[in-house]
């Protein structure tokens, strides 16, 4: 499986600010995803990060709030914009290899005050 | 829409014993994948085991095995010879269709008692 890193691992932010989370993979992958895990909850898909085109967002998530970039096959960023305390969550990126299996990064724990 | 249900919010097992975690799902797809992921307190999501729906044989990975009942839409995880390091939140997940989206259950918190 691929080795996936995320930066930062955790952050504490003030409401109204934005945070960009980076996801780096050690090999080229076809598909990358961003998930949110709210406190005590399961994971919910935010969007699929498409290389060279706009991300595909799930219902309830919009580009203005969660802009995503994917400039190449090994890197993606997720920005959480105009943050509020309700955005406090763990944000995880995942990648899919040719086996239709998703592997996850270590996650970014975000706290918004 | 696909749904995944884990009816056991918490389970406990004695070290070296066997425990089974339940999962049911709902889908109209005929071709799909099912997964069990483990999330220890470090929050890293770790793949435990994977099952392809078209395969009748149940998947196994060392001490971990599944009981896949396609007609009943049931996908339980059996952990044999439980170890302290197995303590974690376990999530059942479904992936089907063309978008490869993972749909997760709410999770089962497994405690392993020494």
């Amino acid at each position: 499986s691929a080795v996936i890193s995320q930066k930062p691992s955790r952050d504490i932010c003030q409401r109204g600010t934005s945070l960009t989370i980076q996801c780096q993979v050690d090999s080229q992958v076809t598909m990358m995803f961003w998930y949110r895990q709210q406190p005590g909850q399961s994971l919910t898909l935010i969007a699929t990060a498409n290389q060279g085109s706009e991300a595909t967002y799930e219902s309830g998530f919009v580009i203005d709030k969660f802009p995503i970039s994917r400039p190449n096959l090994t890197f993606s960023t997720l920005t959480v914009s105009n943050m509020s305390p309700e955005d406090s969550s763990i944000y995880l990126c995942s990648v899919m290899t040719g086996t239709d299996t998703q592997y996850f990064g270590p996650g970014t724990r975000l706290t918004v005050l | 829409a696909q749904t995944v249900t884990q009816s056991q919010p918490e389970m406990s097992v004695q070290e070296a014993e066997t425990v089974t975690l339940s999962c049911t799902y709902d889908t109209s797809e005929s071709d799909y994948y099912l997964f069990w992921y483990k999330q220890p307190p470090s929050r890293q999501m770790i793949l435990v085991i994977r099952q392809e729906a078209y395969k009748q044989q149940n998947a196994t990975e060392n001490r971990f095995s599944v009981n896949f009942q396609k007609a009943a839409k049931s996908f339980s995880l059996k952990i044999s010879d439980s170890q302290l390091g197995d303590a974690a939140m376990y999530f059942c997940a479904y992936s089907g269709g063309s978008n490869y989206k993972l749909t997760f259950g709410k999770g089962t918190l497994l405690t392993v008692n020494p």
Side-chain angles (χ1 to χ4, degrees), chain B residues 17 28 40 47-50 75 110 112:
Chain B
E17 300 283 296
S28 57
L47 177 68
V48 175
I49 202 164
R50 168 182 179 267
F75 182 61
L110 178 66
V112 181

Side-chain angles (χ1 to χ4, degrees), chain A residues 32-35 44-49 55-58 61 66 68:
Chain A
M32 296 181 76
F33 306 86
W34 287 98
Y35 289 82
T44 301
L45 179 65
I46 298 172
T48 302
T56 304
Y57 289 85
E58 295 296 302
F61 298 96
F66 298 102
I68 289 171

Side-chain angles (χ1 to χ4, degrees), chain A residues 1-58:
Chain A
S1 62
V3 176
I4 308 164
S5 60
Q6 281 186 235
K7 291 181 181 179
S9 60
R10 61 177 62 222
D11 207 341
I12 301 173
C13 301
Q14 297 297 318
R15 70 169 66 211
T17 62
S18 298
L19 176 71
T20 296
I21 303 168
Q22 298 179 2
C23 179
Q24 179 76 54
V25 193
D26 69 342
S27 59
Q28 293 185 347
V29 293
T30 52
M31 302 194 75
M32 296 181 76
F33 306 86
W34 287 98
Y35 289 82
R36 180 176 73 181
Q37 186 178 25
Q38 295 177 299
Q41 303 295 313
S42 185
L43 280 73
T44 301
L45 179 65
I46 298 172
T48 302
N50 301 310
Q51 194 265 329
S53 64
E54 194 170 284
T56 304
Y57 289 85
E58 295 296 302

Side-chain angles (χ1 to χ4, degrees), chain A residues 74-95:
Chain A
T74 63
F75 185 78
S76 178
T77 66
L78 167 74
T79 299
V80 186
S81 302
N82 188 26
M83 289 183 286
S84 67
E86 292 70 36
D87 294 319
S88 297
S89 297
I90 298 171
Y91 292 86
L92 302 104
C93 71
S94 73
V95 304

